[in-house]
Amino acid sequence: MSTSDYDTVGGYDDESIVLSLPQRSNALSNKLSNILSTSFADAEIRDALRILDERGVQNTAETRRGLRLEAQKEVIQCDGEIIKDFGKVAEQLKRIGSTIASLNRCCEDMRQHVAASRQETDSILEEAAILFTQKDEVEIKKQLLNSFNEHFVVPDDDLDTLTSMNVPVDDQFFATLARLKKVHADCRILLGSEDQQLGLELMDKSSRNLNAAYQKLYRWIQKEFKMLNLENPQINASIRRSLRVLAERPTLFQSCLDFFAESRERNLSDSFYAALTGASGNQPEESTTKPIDYYAHEPLRFIGDMLAWTHSATVSEREALEVLFISEGGEIAKGIQAGLESEPWLQISAEVFDGRKSLEQLVNRDLAGVARALRQRIEQVIQSDEDPVLAYKIANLIDFYRVTFSRLLGSEASILNTLSKLQDSALRQYRTAMHEHVTAVTAHLTTAPPDLSIPPFLADALTRLTELMKSYDSSLAPAESQTTSFLPILNESLDPFLAASEAVAQKLDEPARSIFSLNCLLACKASLLPYAFTSSRVGAIDDAIDDAAARLTEYQHAFFLHTSGLHPLLAALAPLSDSDHDLRRVFALEPFRTQALADASQSLDAFLPSALMDAMELLERLRDKALAESVTAEAAERFVEDFGFVEERLGRADEAGGDGEGSGDEEEGEGEGRVSLRALFPRTSGEIRVLLS
């Protein structure tokens, strides 16, 4: 701060100096201290200095002396102006006060008037408030009533649609029925309220209407079933929908199915009768269809045509009803389940609805009348013919259709029981006829034919057996059970005749006996071999053929031994052992004396050139030439082995020498040496093998 500033701020007038000289020094010191301690950063100091600069005050002594006076003068002027302004404000406030007082008086008057009016209108407002409250309650009740009527009350026109038989069953009927069912279900909500009377009344009313609607639907379905073309029972969409809805009443639904089944049973029975005779009970004879009775004269064809017609009718029936029970089976099952929930007393014996099983049961019931007529007709055919082959073919044909029907209708179909009984009846007829035929054959057994061929009764039996096997081979019997299934038939149709053939063979001598047995067995094998299901029996026949062939081989072997003259030599050598003592004894044996052995050698030489031809002539009546050659070859081989044994023993006997006892003929001199056995019997095994090959 400049000195002029100091003088201006801290200076004193002359009067102060005269009155307080002693204090001047202290005051001045204090003033200086204040000035020196003043911070120029103070905002008030800066504002004061800025004002001085704005006024352009010069720092002179005169200016410093008049600075306070001018400031005070300005303050006084400002205060005067403020007082004038406050005077004006005071006048305005007075006017405002008078105005407020006037307003207060008016308000008080109005307050008094309002209080008086309120006293007069309080009762009216209270009554209006009550009326508004009642209005709101009435509106709410009206909305509730409208909602209730819309949800729980079915119009009379809709009820007529549900119950009147004059109104058709259409989409409107099902829509109204669905709404009524929803109303009936929602009545349970009302039963949960304190006042259950309304819920009970509505539920009772809706139950009556629902029952009437279902009765109308039930009668309408029956009417449609009556008008349905049962020759081609294609159930249209409206009937399928009606049945789905009616399934919610299981009792009525089952009654409809029973009615339909009875209608179909009567119609199929009439159709079957028409197919047989050309005319049904309510139709004139149709010239366009050839009746089965007229053109199927053969019993097997007659039965086959009846079974074929039944199968065709079953397939058509199943296809017609499959639309309902398979494609719509899920919806029907849901309907029946809903019905069981609404009729809990039915749940005790109720089963889960199976569309495919219900279809099979309904088709099965439809065929009941046809099955009865079919059984009657087939039993008449079976009993009227005594041919065992025909009876078996009928049984096999019935079994074929039994398997076919089981695949079509399931294993529990009643027609399967009918066919099984018919098959048993045919098999009984077959066994009876076969037993009578066997009895007739065994009672008049004849001798074997001169050429040892199979007897006529066996040839007839094999012919019948071939027909039986052809019939069985064309059946639907499972491959794994064919052998066991046909075995009883094979035993009944073949074993008695084989036993009779064996009885005839026992009257013959060898080799005729074995040849006759082989011819019979080979004929049986030839008949059985083409069929795989007779493999086990063919094996047993092969064993019997081997036994007969073995006997024939023994006979041929004996023929070779006796005709060739080798048998006495072999019989004499058989008891001897390989010891030198026994070998030296060979010379003393009768068959090995010189003349006897030479005769045996000549007999062998005479036998060998025609041995095979002679042996084959013995088997010329054997039908299997390959077997005859095999038997002869085996017998020849055994003969060669026997000859080799004799040859080996004779050679060893020559090597061992004799003991002098009867070693030579008496005609021979003592000096003459002993003749060699091999020299008398010179043939070798190799030569014999070549000549018999």
Side-chain angles (χ1 to χ4, degrees):
M1 181 181 288
S2 64
T3 306
S4 61
D5 294 336
Y6 170 74
D7 291 340
T8 301
V9 175
Y12 298 91
D13 57 16
D14 293 337
E15 188 177 359
S16 299
I17 296 172
V18 175
L19 293 177
S20 61
L21 290 174
Q23 299 178 353
R24 181 177 181 180
S25 178
N26 294 332
L28 183 59
S29 299
N30 293 333
K31 198 67 171 179
L32 290 173
S33 298
N34 289 333
I35 292 172
L36 293 174
S37 62
T38 301
S39 174
F40 295 102
D42 190 1
E44 294 180 356
I45 296 298
R46 288 197 306 271
D47 292 340
L49 293 176
R50 186 173 60 254
I51 293 172
L52 290 176
D53 290 337
E54 291 176 354
R55 292 188 176 189
V57 178
Q58 299 295 325
N59 189 10
T60 60
E62 185 178 359
T63 302
R64 288 194 297 270
R65 284 192 296 271
L67 180 61
R68 180 184 292 275
L69 294 176
E70 291 178 0
Q72 292 177 349
K73 181 181 177 180
E74 290 180 2
V75 171
I76 291 172
Q77 290 176 352
C78 290
D79 291 340
E81 293 177 357
I82 291 171
I83 290 172
K84 289 179 181 180
D85 292 335
F86 271 107
K88 296 177 180 179
V89 172
E91 292 177 359
Q92 294 292 333
L93 289 175
K94 288 180 181 179
R95 289 194 296 270
I96 292 171
S98 62
T99 302
I100 291 174
S102 177
L103 290 174
N104 287 334
R105 288 192 298 273
C106 290
C107 288
E108 183 63 27
D109 292 338
M110 292 178 66
R111 188 178 296 111
Q112 292 176 359
H113 286 297
V114 169
S117 299
R118 181 176 296 172
Q119 290 177 357
E120 295 176 359
T121 60
D122 277 345
S123 60
I124 297 175
L125 292 175
E126 291 177 358
E127 184 178 356
I130 293 173
L131 291 176
F132 278 117
T133 303
Q134 292 177 351
K135 178 184 177 182
D136 294 338
E137 292 177 354
V138 169
E139 290 293 335
I140 293 174
K141 291 180 179 180
K142 180 181 179 181
Q143 294 177 0
L144 289 175
L145 180 61
N146 292 335
S147 300
F148 181 85
N149 289 334
E150 291 177 358
H151 192 79
F152 287 99
V153 177
V154 180
D156 293 338
D157 294 339
D158 292 342
L159 291 178
D160 290 339
T161 302
L162 288 177
T163 58
S164 176
M165 292 300 297
N166 297 325
V167 181
V169 176
D170 52 10
D171 293 339
Q172 179 65 28
F173 173 86
F174 292 110
T176 306
L177 181 61
R179 180 185 175 187
L180 186 59
K181 288 192 291 185
K182 189 174 188 306
V183 169
H184 183 75
D186 291 343
C187 286
R188 299 174 183 176
I189 300 175
L190 298 178
L191 294 177
S193 61
E194 295 181 359
D195 187 5
Q196 299 181 354
Q197 184 63 29
L198 178 60
L200 291 174
E201 292 178 357
L202 286 175
M203 181 168 284
D204 180 64
K205 182 178 179 180
S206 61
S207 297
R208 291 197 304 270
N209 291 330
L210 278 176
N211 291 334
Y214 280 116
Q215 286 293 334
K216 174 185 176 179
L217 186 62
Y218 169 70
R219 290 191 293 271
W220 181 83
I221 292 176
Q222 284 189 326
K223 180 181 177 182
E224 290 296 317
F225 277 161
K226 290 179 180 178
M227 295 186 297
L228 189 65
N229 181 14
L230 296 179
E231 284 296 332
N232 186 21
Q234 298 295 331
I235 299 179
N236 55 40
S238 61
I239 297 180
R240 294 202 304 271
R241 184 179 183 183
S242 301
L243 286 174
R244 290 201 307 270
V245 174
L246 192 64
E248 298 177 7
R249 290 293 186 269
T251 304
L252 297 178
F253 178 75
Q254 187 60 43
S255 297
C256 276
L257 293 185
D258 293 341
F259 177 81
F260 181 77
E262 292 173 0
S263 300
R264 288 302 300 149
E265 181 181 353
R266 289 193 300 270
N267 184 266
L268 287 177
S269 298
D270 291 342
S271 299
F272 182 67
Y273 179 78
L276 289 176
T277 63
S280 62
N282 54 3
Q283 294 179 353
E285 185 174 351
E286 299 179 359
S287 59
T288 58
T289 303
K290 293 183 179 180
I292 298 175
D293 284 344
Y294 292 168
Y295 71 84
H297 302 291
E298 183 183 358
L300 190 63
R301 182 182 176 184
F302 177 68
I303 294 176
D305 288 346
M306 288 193 296
L307 290 173
W309 186 94
T310 305
H311 177 261
S312 177
T314 303
V315 172
S316 300
E317 194 79 5
R318 181 183 176 87
E319 290 177 352
L321 299 179
E322 197 170 31
V323 178
L324 174 65
F325 289 96
I326 302 302
S327 61
E328 308 292 344
E331 296 297 329
I332 292 178
K334 294 178 182 178
I336 290 179
Q337 185 61 33
L340 293 176
E341 293 176 357
S342 63
E343 300 178 2
W345 55 87
L346 297 177
Q347 295 184 4
I348 299 176
S349 59
E351 298 180 356
V352 178
F353 179 80
D354 186 349
R356 190 169 297 278
K357 183 178 180 180
S358 298
L359 169 65
E360 293 173 353
Q361 290 176 349
L362 186 57
V363 175
N364 190 29
R365 292 175 60 186
D366 296 346
L367 294 173
V370 175
R372 289 191 296 269
L374 186 68
R375 179 176 181 179
Q376 181 181 5
R377 292 285 183 135
I378 294 179
E379 284 183 344
Q380 290 177 355
V381 174
I382 292 174
Q383 298 300 327
S384 62
D385 201 304
E386 297 181 356
D387 184 7
V389 176
L390 177 61
Y392 180 76
K393 287 183 177 180
I394 292 175
N396 208 27
L397 179 63
I398 295 173
D399 183 66
F400 172 84
Y401 277 98
R402 183 187 62 80
V403 175
T404 303
F405 277 108
S406 66
R407 295 175 180 175
L408 184 63
L409 300 177
S411 58
E412 298 180 359
S414 61
I415 194 171
L416 298 182
N417 185 33
T418 300
L419 293 177
S420 297
K421 292 181 179 178
L422 289 174
Q423 184 183 8
D424 294 340
S425 176
L427 289 177
R428 284 195 302 271
Q429 180 67 16
Y430 158 77
R431 294 187 179 94
T432 301
M434 185 61 69
H435 179 71
E436 293 175 356
H437 184 67
V438 170
T439 303
V441 169
T442 55
H444 302 86
L445 284 179
T446 59
T447 58
D451 59 353
L452 299 182
S453 60
I454 62 175
F457 66 83
L458 182 59
D460 294 340
L462 293 178
T463 301
R464 285 191 298 271
L465 179 60
T466 301
E467 294 181 7
L468 297 179
M469 290 186 294
K470 287 180 180 179
S471 176
Y472 185 77
D473 191 44
S474 62
S475 67
L476 295 180
E480 60 274 7
S481 63
Q482 278 189 339
T483 301
T484 55
S485 299
F486 190 72
L487 187 58
I489 303 299
L490 189 59
N491 294 336
E492 294 168 354
S493 58
L494 181 61
D495 287 355
F497 300 99
L498 275 180
S501 299
E502 187 63 26
V504 173
Q506 295 301 321
K507 300 177 182 179
L508 302 175
D509 297 328
E510 292 291 351
R513 178 188 302 173
S514 298
I515 292 175
F516 180 73
S517 297
L518 282 173
N519 286 336
C520 294
L521 293 173
L522 290 171
C524 294
K525 179 180 178 181
S527 298
L528 299 178
L529 198 58
Y531 304 97
F533 51 84
T534 61
S535 57
S536 61
R537 192 55 186 273
V538 170
I541 291 178
D542 283 336
D543 294 338
I545 290 175
D546 292 340
D547 293 341
R551 295 195 302 270
L552 204 56
T553 301
E554 288 291 340
Y555 180 84
Q556 289 289 76
H557 180 227
F559 168 75
F560 281 122
L561 292 177
H562 290 84
T563 308
S564 65
L566 189 63
H567 182 266
L569 304 180
L570 186 64
L573 292 175
L576 301 180
S577 65
D578 293 339
S579 64
D580 292 342
H581 178 267
D582 284 347
L583 291 175
R584 285 194 296 270
R585 289 178 55 198
V586 171
F587 292 94
L589 297 176
E590 184 63 30
F592 295 97
R593 294 186 178 275
T594 302
Q595 188 59 43
L597 190 57
D599 293 341
S601 179
Q602 291 178 1
S603 298
L604 179 62
D605 292 340
F607 164 75
L608 288 175
S610 60
L612 284 178
M613 295 178 61
D614 295 340
M616 290 298 297
E617 288 179 357
L618 294 176
L619 305 182
E620 62 181 355
R621 291 180 292 181
L622 183 61
R623 299 301 179 182
D624 191 344
K625 299 304 178 183
L627 180 60
E629 293 176 357
S630 175
V631 168
T632 303
E634 184 178 354
E637 181 64 26
R638 292 177 59 184
F639 175 76
V640 172
E641 293 176 358
D642 293 338
F643 186 87
F645 172 76
V646 173
E647 178 187 11
E648 186 265 338
R649 288 298 177 94
L650 292 180
R652 294 185 61 185
D654 284 338
E655 293 176 359
D659 57 1
E661 297 179 0
S663 59
D665 293 334
E666 294 180 355
E667 292 88 4
E668 298 178 0
E670 295 180 358
E672 187 178 352
R674 182 186 304 114
V675 180
S676 172
L677 297 178
R678 291 295 297 138
L680 296 174
F681 202 77
R683 290 286 185 179
T684 63
S685 299
E687 295 173 349
I688 300 298
R689 189 180 302 276
V690 170
L691 291 172
L692 294 180
S693 62

